[in-house]
Amino acid sequence: MSDSPDFSGLEGGVEAQAADAVRAVVSWYNDQLLAQQRSPVPDEERVEELRAGRQAALADQQQLATADLEEAARIKEVYAARLKDLDAS
């Protein structure tokens, strides 16, 4: 989707942009998990995939606390692209 944010126009530097990108992906996973929980028959395999994806994003979010600028920039790019892919799915 072309309306997915790329986080490049945000204030606060690369670290803040990376944190925003990771938070957006975590939020996407949370929304999908909520939808599965509200489903009459949740897809347990899908729930496990979503939980694993969310855990990986949360781990990267913690890694940002000690990341240098290069690593923060890499995480920002990875998560901006991931959000676009997730929104398109």
Side-chain angles (χ1 to χ4, degrees):
M1 279 174 102
S2 62
D3 61 345
S4 292
D6 71 0
F7 302 96
S8 62
L10 297 178
E11 298 284 331
V14 172
E15 296 96 336
Q17 293 170 18
D20 288 342
V22 174
R23 266 194 298 277
V25 169
V26 169
S27 179
W28 184 92
Y29 280 114
N30 287 338
D31 291 346
Q32 296 300 308
L33 282 163
L34 185 60
Q36 283 295 322
Q37 290 170 351
R38 290 181 175 168
S39 172
V41 182
D43 180 342
E44 289 303 319
E45 186 175 319
R46 177 76 174 139
V47 168
E48 287 305 313
E49 289 172 5
L50 292 168
R51 284 184 180 151
R54 182 179 64 183
Q55 273 309 116
L58 290 170
D60 284 343
Q61 189 174 42
Q62 289 221 305
Q63 183 181 347
L64 276 172
T66 58
D68 62 17
L69 284 177
E70 185 176 311
E71 181 67 7
R74 185 194 67 76
I75 290 171
K76 180 190 88 159
E77 294 303 318
V78 166
Y79 276 86
R82 184 171 299 167
L83 185 60
K84 285 180 184 181
D85 289 345
L86 292 172
D87 282 344
S89 64

